[in-house]
Amino acid sequence: MNHMDERYLLPTSMIDSHHKRIVEYAKDHIRHVEEDPIEKTVKLYYALRDEIWYDPYYTFNLPEHYRTSHVHKRGRGICFS
């Protein structure tokens, strides 16, 4: 397997992957998965796809409304990539 640059895994101002709630969510969804990083990624992808409502009509008028922890708390969000 190719080595991934660890910088791509660091939190950012919008992707606060170090937030306690986000860490607990991820751990909860992959606790029964072996060490395979691809399997973990797919498991998390499906959890987010199925549990977070994609809602383009929800009011996102502050930058922090786009933050991962805020989207998780509200259970809805929109993705701009």
Side-chain angles (χ1 to χ4, degrees):
M1 183 183 315
N2 294 336
H3 177 71
M4 181 187 304
D5 189 331
E6 296 294 320
R7 292 178 295 176
Y8 295 112
L9 300 176
L10 295 174
T12 66
S13 62
M14 290 293 121
I15 303 173
D16 54 347
S17 54
H18 61 298
H19 190 283
K20 181 181 177 185
R21 188 179 320 115
I22 301 305
V23 172
E24 289 173 0
Y25 179 87
K27 286 181 178 179
D28 184 52
H29 282 81
I30 62 170
R31 74 171 150 222
H32 300 296
V33 178
E34 298 298 322
E35 292 298 315
D36 181 17
I38 294 173
E39 187 179 352
K40 289 179 180 182
T41 302
V42 170
K43 183 96 170 163
L44 284 172
Y45 167 80
Y46 285 125
L48 291 169
R49 183 199 69 181
D50 297 343
E51 296 176 13
I52 303 294
W53 178 21
Y54 181 84
D55 185 4
Y57 302 106
Y58 186 69
T59 303
F60 292 96
N61 52 0
L62 297 173
E64 55 267 23
H65 292 165
Y66 296 91
R67 193 166 292 128
T68 305
S69 56
H70 181 84
V71 170
H72 179 263
K73 181 179 180 181
R74 297 290 177 216
R76 58 178 58 191
I78 190 168
C79 180
F80 294 102
S81 53

